[in-house]
Amino acid sequence: MDLQNEKIFAGARLRRLRRERSLTQADAADMLGLSPSYLNLLERNQRPLTARVLLAVAAAFDIDVRSLAEGSDRQLVTDLEAAAADPALAALELDRTELTDLAETQPRAAEALTKLHQAYRNASESSADLAAQLEGGERAGRMNETEAVRNALDQRHNFFPALEDAAERFGSRLKLHVDNRSTVLEERLKAEHGIVVRTFEDDIMGRARQRLDFHTRRLMLSDRLSANARPMQMATTLALLEHADVLDAEVAAAGFETKIEEALYRNGLARYFAGAVLAPYEAFLTLAEKSRYDIDRLQRRFGLSFETACHRLTTLHDPRQPGIPFFMVRMDPAGNVSKRFGGGVLPFARSGGSCPKWTLSEAFRAPEKLLTQRFALPDNSEYLSIARAVSRPGSAQELPVMHVIAVGCEWGRAEETIYADALSRTPPTPVGLTCRLCEREACAHRAFPSMQREMNINPWRQAAGPYASDEHI
């Protein structure tokens, strides 16, 4: 992106940043070295943001300059499309241009609309769950709190400078490296907190992977944990014990509505801290760039699982040393998404399964094999995807727990990775976010009719699939 020559109007996002920090225009103008009147013109989109102002905003508000320069929030536009496609609003026939304009000019109003739609959808699902329960059915779990946490992580682009700084100081003080970290972390727990680390069999652990027993001062770890998982559990525990003030400050800044949301977010941040301790930002980014983001090499160097290495890739958003912006998703064999980071790169649908033409499902048929893919969404944006099915042992009565982990980036940055070399001459696979939001009617894989268009069903013609059609009204 040529910041010198491109005119960037981001008044609504600039105003939103200021209001989120409770700053007056005069205060913000002083921080940016501008006059209040000029800042007012910027916020009203009567002046474009110059390269100097963009860099000043990125430094003052500690954000990635791309979040201002890239245009509308893709995830917000996707959420608006889902709301507009709902039967309650479908008659208005709001198109993508109108929704993008709303997201760019009135982002707070757009967020309010999407939150209202999510609440409406959750209420409808709850009613259906309750009806099923009353009829003797099984109630499905709701994801309200999880979605709130995901929204908060996406707003921060999954990057937390305070946690990075604390983790760097902690790791340097203990002189951690991949060969000594298990021993050093175990000694830290014992010396500073009187906690000994013990390994127990599954029946004693009650299928838990880890449990801290404050009464006996023991950190109990399951014998099913891999060698790489043990330091992660110990570092997470130390984050909760020694860096509660940093975690609490981040939780308070997120402004959650429920204690459950706060607890989920806090646990996620503790694991973020642990990942930053095991894979320090600068060292991890240096090897990532040197190896062209070779995930297997990053795993070996830092002693990480595939999932943890992929997770760490999504956090490389320090404006002073930015890496490639990556997204990540974790999915089980039933299509349930249990972890998701858009990273400002790839928008995700809030409900519905993933597109079967994305290699996530295929990865389950080839465990531990790395599958790469170049795909395109209906808006013609293209991406690189790197997916692998991983598993961990279950209990004696259960099958192994399996997930597919996928990480990727925009195709424009893919050439910086080793994975794009074999795909550079391959046309992108057309993929949708979810069937209900996908406009590709002539698709044999379609599992649901599109919410975007009314189908024209011809009784005299058999389409490729139950909801596929090359005709529409």
Side-chain angles (χ1 to χ4, degrees):
M1 176 177 292
D2 186 355
L3 296 180
Q4 296 292 338
N5 299 320
E6 185 171 346
K7 289 187 177 181
I8 298 168
F9 294 90
R13 275 163 284 152
L14 185 57
R15 183 170 61 252
R16 179 181 173 191
L17 281 172
R18 176 174 63 78
R19 288 176 173 174
E20 283 176 348
R21 290 156 177 79
S22 301
L23 296 173
T24 65
Q25 278 193 338
D27 292 336
D30 185 59
M31 287 176 60
L32 300 173
L34 306 173
S35 68
S37 60
Y38 186 64
L39 178 59
N40 183 49
L41 292 173
L42 292 174
E43 290 191 357
R44 291 161 57 190
N45 280 336
Q46 293 183 1
R47 293 287 188 279
L49 271 69
T50 64
R52 186 188 72 80
V53 173
L54 273 173
L55 295 174
V57 171
F61 294 108
D62 195 19
I63 62 170
D64 187 342
V65 67
R66 289 170 298 206
S67 67
L68 281 170
E70 283 179 344
S72 59
D73 185 325
R74 293 176 180 174
Q75 183 63 59
L76 181 56
V77 173
T78 299
D79 291 345
L80 285 171
E81 287 186 306
D86 192 281
L89 298 176
L92 297 176
E93 298 182 349
L94 298 170
D95 60 28
R96 186 178 180 85
T97 301
E98 292 173 303
L99 298 175
T100 300
D101 185 58
L102 176 61
E104 289 182 346
T105 59
Q106 298 294 334
R108 297 183 72 194
E111 283 188 4
L113 176 60
T114 60
K115 287 183 178 181
L116 184 62
H117 175 251
Q118 289 172 27
Y120 164 73
R121 192 190 71 233
N122 289 331
S124 298
E125 291 174 354
S126 296
S127 297
D129 292 343
L130 180 58
Q133 189 178 37
L134 292 174
E135 293 172 4
E138 197 172 301
R139 182 177 179 181
R142 293 198 300 152
M143 301 292 285
N144 298 8
E145 292 83 5
T146 304
E147 286 296 337
V149 170
R150 288 172 176 170
N151 288 343
L153 292 171
D154 278 345
Q155 287 175 4
R156 296 291 299 273
H157 289 279
N158 199 29
F159 176 66
F160 298 87
L163 292 179
E164 295 285 353
D165 292 343
E168 182 178 358
R169 291 194 301 271
F170 182 75
S172 297
R173 188 163 61 249
L174 296 185
K175 298 180 180 179
L176 284 178
H177 55 77
V178 70
D179 296 323
N180 75 353
R181 62 191 187 182
S182 288
T183 301
V184 171
L185 293 174
E186 190 170 338
E187 290 175 350
R188 177 75 175 188
L189 283 164
K190 185 174 182 179
E192 295 295 324
H193 307 283
I195 294 173
V196 295
V197 179
R198 293 288 183 266
T199 301
F200 294 91
E201 294 182 355
D202 193 59
D203 55 345
I204 296 176
M205 291 296 295
R207 303 184 184 181
R209 304 180 71 196
Q210 171 215 319
R211 187 166 70 248
L212 180 59
D213 187 331
F214 284 97
H215 179 68
T216 61
R217 309 301 292 176
R218 293 184 301 180
L219 177 62
M220 306 169 67
L221 300 179
S222 170
D223 63 354
R224 295 182 180 274
L225 288 174
S226 68
N228 289 335
R230 290 174 60 86
M232 188 72 176
Q233 298 293 347
M234 287 188 279
T236 302
T237 301
L238 284 165
L240 295 168
L241 290 171
E242 298 190 21
H243 299 275
D245 55 339
V246 183
L247 299 176
D248 290 343
E250 293 290 354
V251 172
F256 290 111
E257 296 180 359
T258 70
K259 295 296 183 183
I260 294 177
E261 293 167 357
E262 291 180 350
L264 286 172
Y265 195 62
R266 196 171 190 272
N267 288 345
L269 295 182
R271 293 189 66 80
Y272 181 109
F273 175 92
V277 166
L278 302 183
Y281 190 102
E282 185 174 356
F284 189 83
L285 177 60
T286 298
L287 181 58
E289 293 178 334
K290 179 180 178 180
S291 67
R292 296 183 64 208
Y293 291 86
D294 185 334
I295 300 175
D296 289 331
R297 188 170 172 185
L298 291 168
Q299 283 186 253
R300 292 193 300 270
R301 169 64 181 82
F302 293 98
L304 306 175
S305 67
F306 181 75
E307 179 177 346
T308 303
C310 290
H311 188 172
R312 191 62 173 134
L313 286 174
T314 70
T315 68
L316 303 179
H317 293 291
D318 189 333
R320 299 165 298 180
Q321 289 181 289
I324 296 176
F326 280 94
F327 65 83
M328 176 184 164
V329 62
R330 182 178 68 192
M331 187 180 79
D332 70 15
N336 302 307
V337 174
S338 53
K339 182 182 286 188
R340 184 186 72 211
F341 301 114
V345 182
L346 180 70
F348 289 99
R350 301 291 180 181
S351 61
S354 66
C355 179
K357 290 189 287 187
W358 191 1
T359 52
L360 301 188
S361 300
E362 183 181 346
F364 283 113
R365 298 192 289 271
E368 301 300 332
K369 181 180 179 180
L370 200 69
L371 300 181
T372 59
Q373 183 183 31
R374 177 182 180 181
F375 70 84
L377 293 182
D379 65 0
N380 295 322
S381 57
E382 294 186 20
Y383 301 87
L384 166 70
S385 169
I386 308 152
R388 173 178 282 166
V390 298
S391 63
R392 55 181 171 84
S395 67
Q397 295 79 30
E398 296 175 335
L399 294 172
V401 179
M402 182 171 285
H403 291 96
V404 162
I405 310 298
V407 67
C409 64
E410 291 180 310
W411 185 254
R413 302 292 302 273
E415 64 180 13
E416 299 173 43
T417 76
I418 62 171
Y419 305 104
D421 296 346
L423 299 172
S424 59
R425 297 184 180 180
T426 303
T429 302
V431 165
L433 291 178
T434 184
C435 278
R436 292 193 181 278
L437 294 180
C438 183
E439 299 178 2
R440 297 186 176 103
E441 298 287 355
C443 176
H445 297 275
R446 180 173 285 283
F448 300 97
S450 173
M451 296 174 68
Q452 310 261 21
R453 298 178 178 179
E454 183 177 349
M455 296 291 293
N456 182 18
I457 304 299
N458 186 344
W460 306 107
R461 181 182 177 280
Q462 182 63 53
Y467 299 106
S469 173
D470 57 6
E471 302 173 335
H472 57 267
I473 297 175

